[in-house]
Amino acid sequence: MSVDTSVRLPGMPVKNPVMTASGTFGYGLEFSPYGDLRALGGIVVKGLSLAPRQGNPMPRIAETPCGMLNAIGLQNCGVEKFLRDKLPRLPWRDTPIIANLYACDADEFAELAGVLSAEEGVAALEVNISCPNVKAGGIAFGQDPCMAGKLAEAVKKRAGDKPVWVKLSPNVTDIVSIARAAVLGGADALTCINTLTGMSVDIRSRKPRLANVIGGLSGPAIKPVALRAVWQVCQAVSAPVIGVGGISSAEDVLEFILVGAHAVQIGTANFMRPDMAFRIAQRLPELMAELGIEDLASYRGSLRVG
Amino acid sequence: MALSGACRDLTILSVTEAGPEGGAHGCYYIELANPGLGSAVAGQFVMVRPACFGQDPVWPRPFSICRLTPEALTLFVQACGRGTDALCRLRPGDTATVWGPLGQGFSLEPDTPTLMLAGGVGLAPFVEYAATHPVPANLALVFGHRQPLSCYPFAEMAAVVGRAEAFQENTPEDLPRFIALLETKVAEYAGGLILACGPRPFLMTVARLARRFGARAQVSLENRMACGVGGCLGCVEKNALGQYVQTCTQGPVFWVEELQLSEEA
């Protein structure tokens, strides 16, 4: 049985729904020895800011049951260096490269969007309003529907013909209200979810395991939370949702598509083995054939409830 | 789609106690068959994730290459946490996914008198270093350890290198004596090459002494690491300019003058 793994996202047809999550796949190039980047449905690169950022002090990562905490603090080379040194080496003609944007306020977000929208090699802009590890902006933007809407609007205005995705935080009372506000503000798609805030401590040294004390929890441990968020958001908005959170197999991919996601991002699982995203992309059509799923559009959102 | 094959599923050949007391002290050699990793520079490392990890623990574990031949990759592992505990319980025939060699290894200068300073499991990369050095007579080893000496691959190294001495740290009073020994040795090799691998306080002492005596020295860091390939930015270390460099790709071996080497990275 031949299956069709292609997906239509706004302004961007993709060959398969398996993408990589920001902050877990470097700038893509780090993982090219482990698979063919062109085989992925998309690559979301490490969060970019206008100026380079040093990130948080060490230690920045800690292992937790079925997961990990991170407080990297958006260390990145800055948008200029990315466009000059990294993007030209990525296979952007063959696979969509999605720039993840971080800024401290709406004006800076808009400026960053303006710079990136002029680049042929950038397929879409993913707005990070949900990073738990930075003091200014980040998660504060993602917890207020009004602010989320304003930022989506500010970025959309400067994004030209580039689709704008807004990446949502699970650290909210009602993710649906944020999702609705982002779409009203002009978001073309939503990425659900960023990390959950968490903490780990050492009872002997009496120290937190992260210098930042609090970090973002990711990995298989958070998959049920992500699946729930994607399900709720898909029920509430018509914009496509890209599911992310604890996905580490082709089976997991189908779970997210079953609850309504158009595509998914592989995050922490890239750390389990650097060829993980490639393996999942390779395995997905085999699994679809085994389950008699001809194409993803007919399977999407077909969860039988009640 | 063709995978590059850079991640390889290897079969465990053996898990052997290091010496008669190795098991009691958690020290093991793990041999993996037909690694197919090509050649490596001593000081480079591999990431290892046995199939039994499943989804927990999530991270693979980094290990210095202790010995690499076309037939086998040997790791020297001390069980000290849930990852290393699980690795040391593997049986012949079990599988582990391995990728590498990764990072930058130690400098090799065949004709330069070279001092290897190792602490505990930090001895591992020097086994490969001594085995692949063209003039092992130019090598000297000073090894600080807490477990019985037979728990480490010391005797086989002593048989190969020009000079080897071990120092066991039993009581708190031993530490200043060990540091005094390091001081004498670093001064002696100030005109040569000094290589160090071991716990962070040990490396900081070596770096401090190397600066004082103007010695050329490299240290191999063991920062906590998730991916090992430059993707997570979790293993960074501050360089001399105060900027973060990645231990996995730009290290784990650095010249001491490249780093600040503060207590908390």
Side-chain angles (χ1 to χ4, degrees), chain A residues 192-227:
Chain A
C192 300
I193 55 175
N194 207 319
T195 56
L196 283 77
T197 48
M199 191 167 162
S200 177
V201 298
D202 184 332
I203 58 167
R204 289 176 182 82
S205 67
R206 304 189 189 192
K207 286 182 175 176
R209 290 192 198 277
L210 297 176
N212 197 52
V213 185
I214 286 171
L217 180 67
S218 64
I222 73 162
K223 199 186 77 177
V225 178
L227 202 62

PDB file of all heavy atoms in Angstrom, chain A residues 192-227:
ATOM      1  N   CYS A 192       2.124  23.821  19.620  1.00  0.00           N
ATOM      2  CA  CYS A 192       1.740  23.463  21.001  1.00  0.00           C
ATOM      3  C   CYS A 192       2.507  22.214  21.406  1.00  0.00           C
ATOM      4  O   CYS A 192       2.308  21.183  20.776  1.00  0.00           O
ATOM      5  CB  CYS A 192       0.272  23.124  21.109  1.00  0.00           C
ATOM      6  SG  CYS A 192      -0.858  24.417  20.658  1.00  0.00           S
ATOM      7  N   ILE A 193       3.370  22.237  22.375  1.00  0.00           N
ATOM      8  CA  ILE A 193       3.550  23.206  23.424  1.00  0.00           C
ATOM      9  C   ILE A 193       5.051  23.421  23.670  1.00  0.00           C
ATOM     10  O   ILE A 193       5.870  22.573  23.295  1.00  0.00           O
ATOM     11  CB  ILE A 193       2.925  22.704  24.767  1.00  0.00           C
ATOM     12  CG1 ILE A 193       3.504  21.341  25.128  1.00  0.00           C
ATOM     13  CG2 ILE A 193       1.414  22.710  24.725  1.00  0.00           C
ATOM     14  CD1 ILE A 193       3.087  20.751  26.457  1.00  0.00           C
ATOM     15  N   ASN A 194       5.367  24.501  24.337  1.00  0.00           N
ATOM     16  CA  ASN A 194       6.721  24.697  24.844  1.00  0.00           C
ATOM     17  C   ASN A 194       6.871  23.861  26.130  1.00  0.00           C
ATOM     18  O   ASN A 194       5.970  23.111  26.495  1.00  0.00           O
ATOM     19  CB  ASN A 194       6.962  26.186  25.118  1.00  0.00           C
ATOM     20  CG  ASN A 194       8.431  26.570  24.999  1.00  0.00           C
ATOM     21  OD1 ASN A 194       9.310  25.825  25.446  1.00  0.00           O
ATOM     22  ND2 ASN A 194       8.711  27.707  24.403  1.00  0.00           N
ATOM     23  N   THR A 195       7.989  24.006  26.822  1.00  0.00           N
ATOM     24  CA  THR A 195       8.236  23.190  28.017  1.00  0.00           C
ATOM     25  C   THR A 195       7.344  23.611  29.192  1.00  0.00           C
ATOM     26  O   THR A 195       6.842  24.728  29.231  1.00  0.00           O
ATOM     27  CB  THR A 195       9.698  23.327  28.460  1.00  0.00           C
ATOM     28  OG1 THR A 195       9.977  24.721  28.653  1.00  0.00           O
ATOM     29  CG2 THR A 195      10.635  22.750  27.436  1.00  0.00           C
ATOM     30  N   LEU A 196       7.185  22.686  30.124  1.00  0.00           N
ATOM     31  CA  LEU A 196       6.480  22.986  31.383  1.00  0.00           C
ATOM     32  C   LEU A 196       7.516  23.446  32.393  1.00  0.00           C
ATOM     33  O   LEU A 196       8.592  22.846  32.494  1.00  0.00           O
ATOM     34  CB  LEU A 196       5.811  21.722  31.938  1.00  0.00           C
ATOM     35  CG  LEU A 196       4.521  21.232  31.297  1.00  0.00           C
ATOM     36  CD1 LEU A 196       4.813  20.521  29.995  1.00  0.00           C
ATOM     37  CD2 LEU A 196       3.797  20.297  32.250  1.00  0.00           C
ATOM     38  N   THR A 197       7.194  24.467  33.183  1.00  0.00           N
ATOM     39  CA  THR A 197       8.178  24.885  34.186  1.00  0.00           C
ATOM     40  C   THR A 197       8.318  23.798  35.248  1.00  0.00           C
ATOM     41  O   THR A 197       7.335  23.173  35.646  1.00  0.00           O
ATOM     42  CB  THR A 197       7.791  26.215  34.851  1.00  0.00           C
ATOM     43  OG1 THR A 197       6.431  26.143  35.234  1.00  0.00           O
ATOM     44  CG2 THR A 197       7.985  27.374  33.906  1.00  0.00           C
ATOM     45  N   GLY A 198       9.552  23.590  35.661  1.00  0.00           N
ATOM     46  CA  GLY A 198       9.825  22.546  36.641  1.00  0.00           C
ATOM     47  C   GLY A 198      11.088  22.842  37.413  1.00  0.00           C
ATOM     48  O   GLY A 198      11.770  23.849  37.172  1.00  0.00           O
ATOM     49  N   MET A 199      11.427  21.944  38.315  1.00  0.00           N
ATOM     50  CA  MET A 199      12.536  22.190  39.244  1.00  0.00           C
ATOM     51  C   MET A 199      13.088  20.861  39.741  1.00  0.00           C
ATOM     52  O   MET A 199      12.356  19.873  39.821  1.00  0.00           O
ATOM     53  CB  MET A 199      11.965  22.997  40.415  1.00  0.00           C
ATOM     54  CG  MET A 199      12.950  23.584  41.348  1.00  0.00           C
ATOM     55  SD  MET A 199      12.092  24.795  42.398  1.00  0.00           S
ATOM     56  CE  MET A 199      13.296  24.924  43.704  1.00  0.00           C
ATOM     57  N   SER A 200      14.351  20.837  40.054  1.00  0.00           N
ATOM     58  CA  SER A 200      14.996  19.654  40.603  1.00  0.00           C
ATOM     59  C   SER A 200      16.049  20.108  41.612  1.00  0.00           C
ATOM     60  O   SER A 200      16.755  21.091  41.368  1.00  0.00           O
ATOM     61  CB  SER A 200      15.642  18.854  39.460  1.00  0.00           C
ATOM     62  OG  SER A 200      16.322  17.737  39.959  1.00  0.00           O
ATOM     63  N   VAL A 201      16.125  19.409  42.738  1.00  0.00           N
ATOM     64  CA  VAL A 201      17.058  19.828  43.795  1.00  0.00           C
ATOM     65  C   VAL A 201      17.879  18.640  44.293  1.00  0.00           C
ATOM     66  O   VAL A 201      17.500  17.489  44.122  1.00  0.00           O
ATOM     67  CB  VAL A 201      16.308  20.462  44.997  1.00  0.00           C
ATOM     68  CG1 VAL A 201      15.575  21.719  44.565  1.00  0.00           C
ATOM     69  CG2 VAL A 201      15.330  19.463  45.628  1.00  0.00           C
ATOM     70  N   ASP A 202      19.021  18.957  44.894  1.00  0.00           N
ATOM     71  CA  ASP A 202      19.916  17.931  45.444  1.00  0.00           C
ATOM     72  C   ASP A 202      19.829  17.999  46.969  1.00  0.00           C
ATOM     73  O   ASP A 202      20.206  19.016  47.570  1.00  0.00           O
ATOM     74  CB  ASP A 202      21.347  18.208  44.952  1.00  0.00           C
ATOM     75  CG  ASP A 202      22.332  17.141  45.401  1.00  0.00           C
ATOM     76  OD1 ASP A 202      22.100  16.524  46.468  1.00  0.00           O
ATOM     77  OD2 ASP A 202      23.325  16.927  44.694  1.00  0.00           O
ATOM     78  N   ILE A 203      19.355  16.916  47.602  1.00  0.00           N
ATOM     79  CA  ILE A 203      19.134  16.969  49.058  1.00  0.00           C
ATOM     80  C   ILE A 203      20.439  16.969  49.845  1.00  0.00           C
ATOM     81  O   ILE A 203      20.447  17.310  51.014  1.00  0.00           O
ATOM     82  CB  ILE A 203      18.242  15.804  49.552  1.00  0.00           C
ATOM     83  CG1 ILE A 203      18.857  14.444  49.185  1.00  0.00           C
ATOM     84  CG2 ILE A 203      16.831  15.935  49.004  1.00  0.00           C
ATOM     85  CD1 ILE A 203      18.196  13.278  49.912  1.00  0.00           C
ATOM     86  N   ARG A 204      21.558  16.589  49.242  1.00  0.00           N
ATOM     87  CA  ARG A 204      22.826  16.573  49.962  1.00  0.00           C
ATOM     88  C   ARG A 204      23.501  17.943  49.920  1.00  0.00           C
ATOM     89  O   ARG A 204      23.846  18.507  50.949  1.00  0.00           O
ATOM     90  CB  ARG A 204      23.733  15.487  49.415  1.00  0.00           C
ATOM     91  CG  ARG A 204      23.213  14.113  49.810  1.00  0.00           C
ATOM     92  CD  ARG A 204      23.989  12.941  49.244  1.00  0.00           C
ATOM     93  NE  ARG A 204      23.330  11.710  49.687  1.00  0.00           N
ATOM     94  CZ  ARG A 204      22.269  11.196  49.077  1.00  0.00           C
ATOM     95  NH1 ARG A 204      21.773  11.773  47.993  1.00  0.00           N
ATOM     96  NH2 ARG A 204      21.700  10.096  49.529  1.00  0.00           N
ATOM     97  N   SER A 205      23.684  18.468  48.721  1.00  0.00           N
ATOM     98  CA  SER A 205      24.325  19.784  48.609  1.00  0.00           C
ATOM     99  C   SER A 205      23.343  20.913  48.923  1.00  0.00           C
ATOM    100  O   SER A 205      23.745  22.049  49.128  1.00  0.00           O
ATOM    101  CB  SER A 205      24.878  19.975  47.200  1.00  0.00           C
ATOM    102  OG  SER A 205      23.817  20.055  46.264  1.00  0.00           O
ATOM    103  N   ARG A 206      22.034  20.562  48.976  1.00  0.00           N
ATOM    104  CA  ARG A 206      20.962  21.536  49.208  1.00  0.00           C
ATOM    105  C   ARG A 206      20.926  22.606  48.125  1.00  0.00           C
ATOM    106  O   ARG A 206      20.513  23.740  48.367  1.00  0.00           O
ATOM    107  CB  ARG A 206      21.085  22.194  50.592  1.00  0.00           C
ATOM    108  CG  ARG A 206      21.117  21.183  51.711  1.00  0.00           C
ATOM    109  CD  ARG A 206      21.017  21.869  53.056  1.00  0.00           C
ATOM    110  NE  ARG A 206      21.273  20.911  54.130  1.00  0.00           N
ATOM    111  CZ  ARG A 206      21.042  21.153  55.405  1.00  0.00           C
ATOM    112  NH1 ARG A 206      20.553  22.314  55.777  1.00  0.00           N
ATOM    113  NH2 ARG A 206      21.294  20.240  56.320  1.00  0.00           N
ATOM    114  N   LYS A 207      21.382  22.232  46.935  1.00  0.00           N
ATOM    115  CA  LYS A 207      21.381  23.188  45.829  1.00  0.00           C
ATOM    116  C   LYS A 207      20.368  22.773  44.769  1.00  0.00           C
ATOM    117  O   LYS A 207      20.096  21.582  44.606  1.00  0.00           O
ATOM    118  CB  LYS A 207      22.765  23.229  45.174  1.00  0.00           C
ATOM    119  CG  LYS A 207      23.821  23.945  45.964  1.00  0.00           C
ATOM    120  CD  LYS A 207      25.118  23.957  45.176  1.00  0.00           C
ATOM    121  CE  LYS A 207      26.170  24.788  45.887  1.00  0.00           C
ATOM    122  NZ  LYS A 207      27.457  24.719  45.160  1.00  0.00           N
ATOM    123  N   PRO A 208      19.849  23.753  44.034  1.00  0.00           N
ATOM    124  CA  PRO A 208      19.044  23.392  42.862  1.00  0.00           C
ATOM    125  C   PRO A 208      19.953  22.774  41.805  1.00  0.00           C
ATOM    126  O   PRO A 208      21.150  23.097  41.754  1.00  0.00           O
ATOM    127  CB  PRO A 208      18.474  24.732  42.385  1.00  0.00           C
ATOM    128  CG  PRO A 208      19.399  25.765  42.918  1.00  0.00           C
ATOM    129  CD  PRO A 208      20.022  25.202  44.179  1.00  0.00           C
ATOM    130  N   ARG A 209      19.411  21.892  40.984  1.00  0.00           N
ATOM    131  CA  ARG A 209      20.251  21.260  39.957  1.00  0.00           C
ATOM    132  C   ARG A 209      20.487  22.168  38.753  1.00  0.00           C
ATOM    133  O   ARG A 209      21.322  21.860  37.908  1.00  0.00           O
ATOM    134  CB  ARG A 209      19.637  19.939  39.518  1.00  0.00           C
ATOM    135  CG  ARG A 209      19.713  18.872  40.600  1.00  0.00           C
ATOM    136  CD  ARG A 209      19.373  17.494  40.059  1.00  0.00           C
ATOM    137  NE  ARG A 209      19.044  16.567  41.135  1.00  0.00           N
ATOM    138  CZ  ARG A 209      19.963  15.899  41.852  1.00  0.00           C
ATOM    139  NH1 ARG A 209      21.246  16.048  41.601  1.00  0.00           N
ATOM    140  NH2 ARG A 209      19.576  15.086  42.813  1.00  0.00           N
ATOM    141  N   LEU A 210      19.721  23.244  38.665  1.00  0.00           N
ATOM    142  CA  LEU A 210      19.950  24.235  37.609  1.00  0.00           C
ATOM    143  C   LEU A 210      20.369  25.549  38.264  1.00  0.00           C
ATOM    144  O   LEU A 210      19.780  25.953  39.266  1.00  0.00           O
ATOM    145  CB  LEU A 210      18.669  24.483  36.801  1.00  0.00           C
ATOM    146  CG  LEU A 210      18.078  23.321  36.021  1.00  0.00           C
ATOM    147  CD1 LEU A 210      16.756  23.750  35.380  1.00  0.00           C
ATOM    148  CD2 LEU A 210      19.042  22.830  34.943  1.00  0.00           C
ATOM    149  N   ALA A 211      21.354  26.226  37.672  1.00  0.00           N
ATOM    150  CA  ALA A 211      21.784  27.514  38.215  1.00  0.00           C
ATOM    151  C   ALA A 211      20.618  28.509  38.203  1.00  0.00           C
ATOM    152  O   ALA A 211      20.502  29.348  39.088  1.00  0.00           O
ATOM    153  CB  ALA A 211      22.960  28.053  37.396  1.00  0.00           C
ATOM    154  N   ASN A 212      19.755  28.379  37.221  1.00  0.00           N
ATOM    155  CA  ASN A 212      18.589  29.260  37.087  1.00  0.00           C
ATOM    156  C   ASN A 212      17.459  28.872  38.056  1.00  0.00           C
ATOM    157  O   ASN A 212      16.407  29.504  38.061  1.00  0.00           O
ATOM    158  CB  ASN A 212      18.098  29.175  35.640  1.00  0.00           C
ATOM    159  CG  ASN A 212      17.180  30.303  35.246  1.00  0.00           C
ATOM    160  OD1 ASN A 212      17.514  31.480  35.439  1.00  0.00           O
ATOM    161  ND2 ASN A 212      16.009  29.968  34.723  1.00  0.00           N
ATOM    162  N   VAL A 213      17.674  27.839  38.850  1.00  0.00           N
ATOM    163  CA  VAL A 213      16.719  27.239  39.800  1.00  0.00           C
ATOM    164  C   VAL A 213      15.551  26.561  39.068  1.00  0.00           C
ATOM    165  O   VAL A 213      15.316  25.370  39.232  1.00  0.00           O
ATOM    166  CB  VAL A 213      16.192  28.241  40.849  1.00  0.00           C
ATOM    167  CG1 VAL A 213      15.316  27.511  41.866  1.00  0.00           C
ATOM    168  CG2 VAL A 213      17.350  28.939  41.549  1.00  0.00           C
ATOM    169  N   ILE A 214      14.824  27.353  38.259  1.00  0.00           N
ATOM    170  CA  ILE A 214      13.667  26.811  37.553  1.00  0.00           C
ATOM    171  C   ILE A 214      14.036  26.620  36.081  1.00  0.00           C
ATOM    172  O   ILE A 214      14.788  27.406  35.505  1.00  0.00           O
ATOM    173  CB  ILE A 214      12.476  27.771  37.702  1.00  0.00           C
ATOM    174  CG1 ILE A 214      11.916  27.671  39.135  1.00  0.00           C
ATOM    175  CG2 ILE A 214      11.380  27.490  36.696  1.00  0.00           C
ATOM    176  CD1 ILE A 214      10.880  28.715  39.455  1.00  0.00           C
ATOM    177  N   GLY A 215      13.506  25.565  35.481  1.00  0.00           N
ATOM    178  CA  GLY A 215      13.769  25.331  34.063  1.00  0.00           C
ATOM    179  C   GLY A 215      12.535  24.794  33.371  1.00  0.00           C
ATOM    180  O   GLY A 215      11.441  24.757  33.943  1.00  0.00           O
ATOM    181  N   GLY A 216      12.719  24.391  32.126  1.00  0.00           N
ATOM    182  CA  GLY A 216      11.612  23.861  31.334  1.00  0.00           C
ATOM    183  C   GLY A 216      11.712  22.348  31.235  1.00  0.00           C
ATOM    184  O   GLY A 216      12.736  21.796  30.840  1.00  0.00           O
ATOM    185  N   LEU A 217      10.623  21.672  31.582  1.00  0.00           N
ATOM    186  CA  LEU A 217      10.578  20.207  31.535  1.00  0.00           C
ATOM    187  C   LEU A 217      10.160  19.746  30.140  1.00  0.00           C
ATOM    188  O   LEU A 217       9.201  20.267  29.563  1.00  0.00           O
ATOM    189  CB  LEU A 217       9.579  19.698  32.580  1.00  0.00           C
ATOM    190  CG  LEU A 217       9.404  18.178  32.683  1.00  0.00           C
ATOM    191  CD1 LEU A 217      10.672  17.510  33.200  1.00  0.00           C
ATOM    192  CD2 LEU A 217       8.217  17.830  33.578  1.00  0.00           C
ATOM    193  N   SER A 218      10.887  18.768  29.615  1.00  0.00           N
ATOM    194  CA  SER A 218      10.568  18.227  28.287  1.00  0.00           C
ATOM    195  C   SER A 218      10.823  16.733  28.289  1.00  0.00           C
ATOM    196  O   SER A 218      11.283  16.179  29.283  1.00  0.00           O
ATOM    197  CB  SER A 218      11.443  18.903  27.224  1.00  0.00           C
ATOM    198  OG  SER A 218      12.805  18.597  27.455  1.00  0.00           O
ATOM    199  N   GLY A 219      10.518  16.092  27.167  1.00  0.00           N
ATOM    200  CA  GLY A 219      10.758  14.655  27.058  1.00  0.00           C
ATOM    201  C   GLY A 219       9.470  13.861  27.173  1.00  0.00           C
ATOM    202  O   GLY A 219       8.382  14.415  27.371  1.00  0.00           O
ATOM    203  N   PRO A 220       9.577  12.523  27.066  1.00  0.00           N
ATOM    204  CA  PRO A 220       8.398  11.661  27.082  1.00  0.00           C
ATOM    205  C   PRO A 220       7.456  11.930  28.264  1.00  0.00           C
ATOM    206  O   PRO A 220       6.244  11.735  28.142  1.00  0.00           O
ATOM    207  CB  PRO A 220       9.001  10.257  27.173  1.00  0.00           C
ATOM    208  CG  PRO A 220      10.324  10.380  26.498  1.00  0.00           C
ATOM    209  CD  PRO A 220      10.817  11.761  26.848  1.00  0.00           C
ATOM    210  N   ALA A 221       8.010  12.406  29.392  1.00  0.00           N
ATOM    211  CA  ALA A 221       7.179  12.671  30.577  1.00  0.00           C
ATOM    212  C   ALA A 221       6.043  13.653  30.281  1.00  0.00           C
ATOM    213  O   ALA A 221       4.998  13.600  30.923  1.00  0.00           O
ATOM    214  CB  ALA A 221       8.049  13.202  31.723  1.00  0.00           C
ATOM    215  N   ILE A 222       6.234  14.572  29.339  1.00  0.00           N
ATOM    216  CA  ILE A 222       5.219  15.619  29.131  1.00  0.00           C
ATOM    217  C   ILE A 222       4.268  15.305  27.979  1.00  0.00           C
ATOM    218  O   ILE A 222       3.378  16.102  27.676  1.00  0.00           O
ATOM    219  CB  ILE A 222       5.849  17.020  28.911  1.00  0.00           C
ATOM    220  CG1 ILE A 222       6.510  17.149  27.518  1.00  0.00           C
ATOM    221  CG2 ILE A 222       6.860  17.353  30.003  1.00  0.00           C
ATOM    222  CD1 ILE A 222       6.754  18.592  27.090  1.00  0.00           C
ATOM    223  N   LYS A 223       4.427  14.141  27.359  1.00  0.00           N
ATOM    224  CA  LYS A 223       3.589  13.858  26.178  1.00  0.00           C
ATOM    225  C   LYS A 223       2.088  13.930  26.466  1.00  0.00           C
ATOM    226  O   LYS A 223       1.334  14.526  25.676  1.00  0.00           O
ATOM    227  CB  LYS A 223       3.957  12.502  25.559  1.00  0.00           C
ATOM    228  CG  LYS A 223       3.482  12.378  24.113  1.00  0.00           C
ATOM    229  CD  LYS A 223       3.705  10.998  23.544  1.00  0.00           C
ATOM    230  CE  LYS A 223       2.674  10.024  24.049  1.00  0.00           C
ATOM    231  NZ  LYS A 223       2.792   8.682  23.491  1.00  0.00           N
ATOM    232  N   PRO A 224       1.615  13.385  27.585  1.00  0.00           N
ATOM    233  CA  PRO A 224       0.164  13.482  27.829  1.00  0.00           C
ATOM    234  C   PRO A 224      -0.332  14.929  27.954  1.00  0.00           C
ATOM    235  O   PRO A 224      -1.448  15.238  27.544  1.00  0.00           O
ATOM    236  CB  PRO A 224      -0.011  12.725  29.152  1.00  0.00           C
ATOM    237  CG  PRO A 224       1.178  11.826  29.244  1.00  0.00           C
ATOM    238  CD  PRO A 224       2.294  12.587  28.607  1.00  0.00           C
ATOM    239  N   VAL A 225       0.520  15.785  28.532  1.00  0.00           N
ATOM    240  CA  VAL A 225       0.142  17.196  28.678  1.00  0.00           C
ATOM    241  C   VAL A 225       0.050  17.849  27.290  1.00  0.00           C
ATOM    242  O   VAL A 225      -0.897  18.576  26.978  1.00  0.00           O
ATOM    243  CB  VAL A 225       1.166  17.957  29.553  1.00  0.00           C
ATOM    244  CG1 VAL A 225       0.793  19.429  29.663  1.00  0.00           C
ATOM    245  CG2 VAL A 225       1.264  17.324  30.933  1.00  0.00           C
ATOM    246  N   ALA A 226       1.029  17.551  26.445  1.00  0.00           N
ATOM    247  CA  ALA A 226       1.054  18.118  25.093  1.00  0.00           C
ATOM    248  C   ALA A 226      -0.134  17.627  24.276  1.00  0.00           C
ATOM    249  O   ALA A 226      -0.783  18.400  23.557  1.00  0.00           O
ATOM    250  CB  ALA A 226       2.368  17.750  24.402  1.00  0.00           C
ATOM    251  N   LEU A 227      -0.418  16.360  24.408  1.00  0.00           N
ATOM    252  CA  LEU A 227      -1.515  15.770  23.636  1.00  0.00           C
ATOM    253  C   LEU A 227      -2.845  16.418  24.038  1.00  0.00           C
ATOM    254  O   LEU A 227      -3.678  16.767  23.192  1.00  0.00           O
ATOM    255  CB  LEU A 227      -1.552  14.258  23.899  1.00  0.00           C
ATOM    256  CG  LEU A 227      -2.243  13.384  22.867  1.00  0.00           C
ATOM    257  CD1 LEU A 227      -1.570  13.458  21.508  1.00  0.00           C
ATOM    258  CD2 LEU A 227      -2.276  11.934  23.347  1.00  0.00           C
TER     259      LEU A 227
END
